[in-house]
Amino acid sequence: MISSNEYGSSSWELIVAIDHQYEEEQKEFTLRVSGDLHIGGVMLKLVEQIKTTRDWSDYALWWEQKKCWLLKTHWTLDKCGVQADARLLFTTQHKMLRLRLPNMKTVRLKASFSSVVFKTVSDICRTLNIRRSEELSLLKQSEDTLKKKKKKDKNNKEPVIEDILNLHNSPVISGSPASPGLYSKTMTPIYDPVNGTPVSSTVTWFSDSPLTAQNCNILAFSRPSCSPETLAEMYQPRTLADKAKLNAGWLDSSRSLMEQGVQEDDQLLLRFKYYTFFDLNPKYDAVRINLLYEQARWAILLEEIDCTEEEMLIFAALQYHLSKLSLSSEAQDFTNESEVDEVEVALSNLEVTLEGGKTDNILEDITDIPKLADNLRLFRPKKLTLKAFKQYWFVFKDTSVSYFKNKEAGHGEPIEKLNLKGCEVVPDVNVAGRKFGIKLLIPVADGMNEVYLRCDNENQYACWMAACILAAKGKTMADSSYRPEVHNILSFLRMKNCAVSPQAVSNPESRDMKPECFVSPRYAKKCKSKQLAARILEAHRNVAQMSLVEAKLRFIQAWQSLPEFGLTYYIVRFKGSKKDDLLGVSYNRLIRTDAATGDPITTWRFSSMKQWNVNWEIRQVAIEFDQNVSIAFTCLSADCKVIHEYIGGYIFLSTRSKDQNETLDEDLFHKLTGGQE
């Protein structure tokens, strides 16, 4: 019976389902509420009616039809728009999630299903001891990958037992003071409470984590190479369009997991999304460096990024070297690292800053921009012509290259002056064949001008290549990064410089090695196993003296030097175009690429971008650049929000500096990436 008071009032019945883990408990409750009751009051009424003593602090209301959380407990039901037909679920905000890491290891942990993905990833990285969480995100597996996996499971008569690391007690509660993250914000060493000595820095931040019991080495060390059979069964993208499909599944960083259809115990991939790895420090980043190495390794083995045979051999040699080191007991003993007092490091850094560092170079950098001048050979491709290189006198100054008929004509007007700012620089090298070429794709109004330069030797190539790379970014050779860039290019060339000797073929190590584990299946088919093992061992001689961390960093560096590195492709349709193109998004530019040939058509730099916006009704991204250049496109292989977030994310990451003491302006990230849907 309804009393006369209730009958005349504006109250109504609201049905709320309870997400219980116990089957015998009641699943649904009916509450009598009014529109001016706030969300907190609804939860209080519900808990009183349940009459079960339990910690309800992690529970919140989820609105099934609207796919949203009702987290603002001071808002009334009227303000939220909740009426009698609403289906509400009272459920936990933190649920179990399975994460496939770049090293193919699956970790099961508790994650926030109510926080935005940006915050959830930050909490996950804190649990796994990964600094710079803003570089990572969560990815749903592509349908092609899942199809291949289902086919493999169907063919396998024996059930596959997945190797899962359970961290179900992980403290991933947002803002929990008990878990400051396994690394401290200021990177101050933590001291052993018993004897007062500093704990080894790479193990330090596992102290309050479930990882302690299972040893941090699980994530900080690479896993043994998988068998060639397993590698062959994994999904490998064959075309650029296939690569574009892999990038469609990035989750929206401005919405929660639950809002994006992720259910409890679902599997997602945790990957480095943005290819700008800030402040990599071997002392604190054991896990981060290892996962970066693993992501690079699998990208090369599964041919998600292209490389030459020479480069494939270097990657194989480094993998072989790392697999040997990982098996040796010395490499796994973190405590052997010589600990340096942080106070001493800080004082020495301050001393260098106060003294002004190397003063002899500073005045020179300010007053004199270096230039390069030498004989190089040039080729401009034209239709129906042979690739004939002609020698000219080249002068590289600021961000431009000029060429003259000969050295004597160098003081007059050049034949042509090429402005390299914003161009694409692609290595065209074969060390064994003594070919040291640089391919330049220079943006012009109607596309790209293709120019090939040919150098005589390694040293000349390294100097000119480094100058071109910096010029493309708008930097000159006076920049402090020029010398390290030259050094990196030279060391990479030396690693490539190997010829198979008779000793390598007869080496007993080559008999034990499984070379097919270290190269992509397509490359493994090109030569016999013995010959491949000999070539890898020969290349290994150039890296045999490297330590574990040094070899991983060198692998990451070699990956970064590949022409396709950092390019995330999407299939798009440009406004006014009748065919689909590929759009490559990188940390500093957008590249329009021909979907059929893979050739770049046009490049646009973020530095020349004035503004970009999204028309959410027709899902079109529009971008304005300097010199009245504007483009607009719709994305066909993913939602336009994914590309919008990529552009905003890279611009956000470019604002980072070491002075920020590792605090991030999360509001700025959401302003740049969130959009107004």
Side-chain angles (χ1 to χ4, degrees), residues 139-200:
L139 180 70
K140 280 185 178 176
Q141 277 183 294
S142 72
E143 288 179 15
D144 293 315
T145 315
L146 292 169
K147 277 178 196 167
K148 182 126 187 179
K149 195 178 178 190
K150 280 177 189 171
K151 194 177 176 184
K152 175 190 159 186
D153 293 345
K154 205 175 178 183
N155 295 340
N156 266 345
K157 289 177 184 174
E158 292 180 23
V160 179
I161 300 164
E162 197 173 9
D163 181 18
I164 295 177
L165 173 62
N166 257 309
L167 304 179
H168 55 271
N169 296 320
S170 57
V172 203
I173 310 295
S174 297
S176 166
S179 175
L182 307 182
Y183 57 86
S184 67
K185 281 281 180 193
T186 54
M187 289 289 118
T188 310
I190 294 174
Y191 294 86
D192 190 302
V194 180
N195 57 24
T197 56
V199 183
S200 178

Side-chain angles (χ1 to χ4, degrees), residues 423-437:
C423 78
E424 292 298 308
V425 183
V426 183
D428 182 24
V429 176
N430 183 328
V431 178
R434 306 300 296 162
K435 173 184 158 189
F436 302 102

Side-chain angles (χ1 to χ4, degrees), residues 55 137 147 373 393 396 491:
D55 179 6
S137 194
K147 277 178 196 167
W393 178 255
F396 200 127
S491 61

Side-chain angles (χ1 to χ4, degrees), residues 102-105 163 217-218 220-228 230-231 234 290 293-294 297-298 301 319-328 332 514 517-518 552:
N103 62 356
M104 300 299 170
K105 181 101 183 163
D163 181 18
N217 290 5
I218 293 168
F221 282 94
S222 51
R223 305 180 75 194
S225 301
C226 69
S227 67
T230 309
L231 195 58
M234 295 175 85
N290 184 56
Y293 157 70
E294 288 286 353
R297 181 168 83 96
W298 285 104
L301 290 177
Q319 285 177 75
Y320 173 63
H321 181 61
L322 283 161
S323 68
K324 283 178 71 180
L325 284 180
S326 297
L327 294 170
S328 67
Q332 301 206 15
K514 289 184 178 175
C517 300
F518 304 114
K552 282 180 188 174

